[in-house]
């Protein structure tokens, strides 16, 4: 179950650029990062352009822990970018925190959300060219590619085009250059979200991974950044260059799990998708029960949708320890984490038949732990309903799904999985219903982890899934 630790995504980006020299955007960036904290809790950083110089402050932990009043004051400037980061395999070092600065003909800093699939190949190539890597992060590959092109006297936009030609994977990038421009570019498929808004009071453009980031700082949404485009913000004007046109492949998991329920991704409201998924689940394999119980937090909306359709009341089933949400102090045993995080409400659940709603099952370890806790609490029947169809293949586009063999649904029937998890019945969302609930054309969505059908360009890298090392 995708309670907090089963599948994680890497990172969120946020920037503010004001037209007014006297404006200090650092508290606004901080506010945006707080709003996007759900996308990464390992480290955070802000880079500003202060008196014509790039200046960065980064630290391990949550934005609220890394920044304080004095640090933000030291970053007082009218232009800046920020980042929150999640990584998966032992790379929560400060050296991998973002934004990262790059010395070149034009000094710049960048941060991104996504994963570069051909990282290893590009790193070898760049090392051959004399670039010395200080980190194990994809960001350094992107930065060095741009530096390399700048060295050949290309301008910044052409240098980014050079980088985009080389990069394979998912990337939504914010770059702050010493000449005062913010350059925003996104891979041609648009796997990860990225949008732009305007903050009237500060005369500032705001780029954010999610619309909830714009709302948090009172910026008005303008549009989603078109996939395959480079957007240069300079002197309060955005110039756009569409570099690539392709069928989009927006990650279905943004609506199922990653994005906040108050965000709208590619024009589709996350709350309404989760509600519809709950309603659809109520139509599939109906069973009698006393309560609909969501696994906190993501599944609450789906549970409400399920309840409204089925007439079965929603009930809180768990006490939640919100402070167990700390990735870098986490043991790898997800069952242990589930017990640390959730405690069934015995007084509510004892002797009851429940519909347990969750967003996904990845390895199944957390699911088993939760079901075992519920059984101990005396729950009579557990009917597990999952808003995401079975995950059968790894993600190469920035999401921490394990290898196929580690995925509980790989090569197994629903009945096999039901027995392994130990529930009375198990129902998954269907792919067709999921697509219908999102409402975008099926061929504009990435469904690769559900179907095992990957884009052509990824095929040379299949089976070479590496640790996501941001
Ligand atoms: S493979 Fe799955 S998780 Fe990864 S981008 Fe595609 S839909 Fe999202």
């Amino acid at each position: 179950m995708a309670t907090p630790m089963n599948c994680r995504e890497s990172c969120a980006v946020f920037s503010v650029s004001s037209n007014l020299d006297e404006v200090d955007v650092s508290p606004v960036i901080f506010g945006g990062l707080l709003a996007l904290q759900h996308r990464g809790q390992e480290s955070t950083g802000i880079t500003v352009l202060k008196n014509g110089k790039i200046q960065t402050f980064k630290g391990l932990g949550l934005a609220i822990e890394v920044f304080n009043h004095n640090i933000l004051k030291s970053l007082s400037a009218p232009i800046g970018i920020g980042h929150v980061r999640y990584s998966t395999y032992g790379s929560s070092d400060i050296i991998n925190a973002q934004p990262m600065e790059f010395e070149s003909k034009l000094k710049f800093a960048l941060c991104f959300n996504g994963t570069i699939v051909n990282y290893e190949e590009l790193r070898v190539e760049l090392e051959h060219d004399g670039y010395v890597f200080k980190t194990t992060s994809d960001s350094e590959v992107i930065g060095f590619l741009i530096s390399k092109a700048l060295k050949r006297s290309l301008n910044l936009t052409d240098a980014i085009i050079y980088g985009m030609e080389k990069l394979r994977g998912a990337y939504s990038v914010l770059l702050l250059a010493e000449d005062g421009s913010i350059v925003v570019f996104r891979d041609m498929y648009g796997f990860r979200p990225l949008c732009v808004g305007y903050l009237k009071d500060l005369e500032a453009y705001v780029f954010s991974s999610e619309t909830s980031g714009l709302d948090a700082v009172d910026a008005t949404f303008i549009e989603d950044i078109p996939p395959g485009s480079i957007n240069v913000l300079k002197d309060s004007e955005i110039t756009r260059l569409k570099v690539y046109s392709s069928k989009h492949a927006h990650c279905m998991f943004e609506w199922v799990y990653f994005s906040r329920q108050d965000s709208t991704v590619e024009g589709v409201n996350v709350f309404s998708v989760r509600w519809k998924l709950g309603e659809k689940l109520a139509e599939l394999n109906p069973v009698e029960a006393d309560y609909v119980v969501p696994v906190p937090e993501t599944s609450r909306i789906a549970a409400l949708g399920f309840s409204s359709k089925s007439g079965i009341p929603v009930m809180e089933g768990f006490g939640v320890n919100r402070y167990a949400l700390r990735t870098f102090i986490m043991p790898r045993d997800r069952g242990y984490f589930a017990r640390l995080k959730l405690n069934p409400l015995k007084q509510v659940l004892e002797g009851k038949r429940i519909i347990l709603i969750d967003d996904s099952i990845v390895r199944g370890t957390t699911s088993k732990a939760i079901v075992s806790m519920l059984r101990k609490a005396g729950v009579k029947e557990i009917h597990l309903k999952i808003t995401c169809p079975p995950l059968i293949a790894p993600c190469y586009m920035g999401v921490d799904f394990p290898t196929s063999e580690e995925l509980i649904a790989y090569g197994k029937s629903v009945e096999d999985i039901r027995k392994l998890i130990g529930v009375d019945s198990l129902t998954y969302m269907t792919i067709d219903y999921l697509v219908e609930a999102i409402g975008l054309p099926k061929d504009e969505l990435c469904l690769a982890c559900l179907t095992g059908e990957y884009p052509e360009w990824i095929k040379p890298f299949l089976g070479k899934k590496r640790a996501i090392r941001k």
Side-chain angles (χ1 to χ4, degrees), residues 291-309:
Y291 296 134
V292 179
V293 176
V295 175
E297 302 287 337
T298 334
S299 314
R300 290 188 196 283
I301 310 303
L304 290 168
F306 189 107
S307 173
S308 85
K309 191 79 180 177

Side-chain angles (χ1 to χ4, degrees), residues 191-192 249-254 258 391 393-399 401 445-450 454:
F191 289 108
R192 302 285 143 238
H250 305 301
C251 170
M252 61 84 198
F253 231 64
E254 290 291 343
F258 290 132
L391 296 164
C395 173
Y396 291 80
M397 276 73 80
V399 181
F401 285 163
L445 293 170
C446 178
L447 303 166
C449 51
L450 309 178
Y454 295 96

Side-chain angles (χ1 to χ4, degrees), residues 116-119 121-122 125-126 129 141-142 145-146 148-149 152 159-169 171 244 457 461:
I116 303 306
V117 178
N118 58 340
Y119 166 85
E121 290 73 8
L122 291 174
E125 191 183 311
L126 286 160
D129 291 340
V141 157
I142 302 175
L145 280 175
I146 295 169
K148 183 176 158 181
R152 287 199 212 145
I160 291 169
I161 294 173
Y162 169 80
M164 289 171 84
E165 279 168 2
K166 293 262 183 186
L167 296 168
R168 298 285 174 275
Y171 52 87
Y244 293 109
W457 53 266
F461 305 98

Side-chain angles (χ1 to χ4, degrees), residues 118-168:
N118 58 340
Y119 166 85
E120 301 288 355
E121 290 73 8
L122 291 174
R123 181 172 171 140
V124 169
E125 191 183 311
L126 286 160
E127 281 174 338
H128 185 74
D129 291 340
Y131 286 89
V132 179
F133 281 75
K134 295 191 193 82
T135 77
T136 52
S137 161
D138 312 39
S139 322
E140 210 174 9
V141 157
I142 302 175
F144 280 160
L145 280 175
I146 295 169
S147 301
K148 183 176 158 181
L150 285 170
K151 214 166 142 187
R152 287 199 212 145
S153 298
L154 293 182
N155 64 35
L156 186 54
T157 305
D158 288 340
I160 291 169
I161 294 173
Y162 169 80
M164 289 171 84
E165 279 168 2
K166 293 262 183 186
L167 296 168
R168 298 285 174 275

